[in-house]
Amino acid sequence: SPLADVRVLVTAGPTYEAIDPVRFIGNHSSGKMGFALADELAALGADVTLIAGPTAQLSKQKSIKRTDVVSAAQMLDACLQHFDKARACIMCAAVADYTPAVVADQKIKKQDDELTIALIKTTDILKTLGAQKRTGQILVGFALETENEVQYAIDKLKRKNLDLIVLNSLNDSGAGFKSDTNKVTLIDRTLKATVYDLKSKTEVAKDICAKVVELIKK
Ligand code: C5P
């Protein structure tokens, strides 16, 4: 077991940002990639904490410790609770970038033709962890880009102080949100980009975990 007793933190799924008691702003993340990662890490012997946004996914590995959250703010709190003890963190969740400035107490009634909801920026969890990272901790982020993919991913790797970034391109068919397959490019701090074939998210998780094992051993 290459990751025996290594503590790893994984985030998965979307976040939901409440507008009022019945409505939210969300996204199409299924959680499949993050759950596949958590399963593979646990299979390699890691002590996995999985912070999951609203998702129908279930873990295969019984050893995984799962915490369910709803909003970006809750996901941040949960990550901060586990970050210090984690040797590696893989932030796979599709966290909302904006959240309603106020949550209405009551259901918002139908109004005139237009309705404006003021949004404020959420805290970037990955960037927050990157700023707190200690020597030896490995931080992995994801990037979904539609243009200048590799350059944007490299910028993100640097800006967020990551050790590895997993680039998914929306230009590749069979990659992305709800599909069972993904096509990724892994970029590490040496800025070496490795392009992988389209494969199942389980197989992609194996590739990412192999790279994480390599980074931990370094
Ligand atoms: O900057 P962008 O949102 O494209 O970066 C994507 C990466 O950042 C993903 O790894 C995602 O989990 C993470 N992220 C985060 N907190 C946010 C937004 C993104 O951890 N508020």
Side-chain angles (χ1 to χ4, degrees), residues 48-62:
V48 181
T49 297
L50 174 60
I51 316 283
T55 168
Q57 301 300 310
L58 294 171
S59 294
K60 293 194 185 86
Q61 300 286 335
K62 293 227 164 57

Side-chain angles (χ1 to χ4, degrees), residues 11 91-97 122-126 140-145 156 159-160:
T11 64
M91 302 285 104
C92 191
V95 184
D97 293 321
T122 57
T123 303
D124 189 319
I125 301 169
L126 188 56
V140 182
F142 279 69
L144 180 81
E145 306 292 346
K156 210 164 276 183
R159 195 170 63 243
K160 301 194 189 193

Side-chain angles (χ1 to χ4, degrees), residues 71-212:
S71 66
Q74 290 169 354
M75 188 170 278
L76 172 67
D77 285 347
C79 286
L80 288 174
Q81 271 180 36
H82 292 95
F83 181 63
D84 279 350
K85 290 193 172 126
R87 181 73 201 283
C89 299
I90 307 183
M91 302 285 104
C92 191
V95 184
D97 293 321
Y98 292 89
T99 193
V102 291
V103 182
D105 296 337
Q106 307 295 332
K107 185 181 174 194
I108 298 171
K109 299 301 285 178
K110 211 174 295 181
Q111 301 177 26
D112 302 331
D113 289 348
E114 274 184 39
L115 169 68
T116 303
I117 298 171
L119 303 177
I120 54 171
K121 242 187 175 159
T122 57
T123 303
D124 189 319
I125 301 169
L126 188 56
K127 197 164 162 221
T128 303
L129 300 185
Q132 297 188 5
K133 194 173 70 171
R134 298 181 316 268
T135 314
Q137 278 186 307
I138 305 292
L139 190 57
V140 182
F142 279 69
L144 180 81
E145 306 292 346
T146 56
E147 55 175 354
N148 302 326
E149 289 109 325
V150 171
Q151 192 50 54
Y152 283 155
I154 289 173
D155 292 347
K156 210 164 276 183
L157 175 103
K158 291 181 176 166
R159 195 170 63 243
K160 301 194 189 193
N161 192 26
L162 310 181
D163 300 283
L164 185 70
I165 191 147
V166 182
L167 168 64
N168 316 265
S169 171
L170 265 189
N171 296 329
D172 292 307
S173 61
F177 276 139
K178 296 229 152 127
S179 102
D180 287 315
T181 54
N182 203 0
K183 180 157 176 32
V184 302
T185 300
L186 300 188
I187 307 170
D188 64 19
R189 280 179 90 92
T190 69
L191 305 188
K192 188 182 77 178
T194 312
V195 181
Y196 292 83
D197 293 334
L198 180 75
K199 31 181 117 173
S200 71
K201 286 184 175 171
T202 305
E203 296 300 317
V204 173
K206 289 195 167 120
D207 292 334
I208 295 168
C209 290
K211 186 71 190 182
V212 169

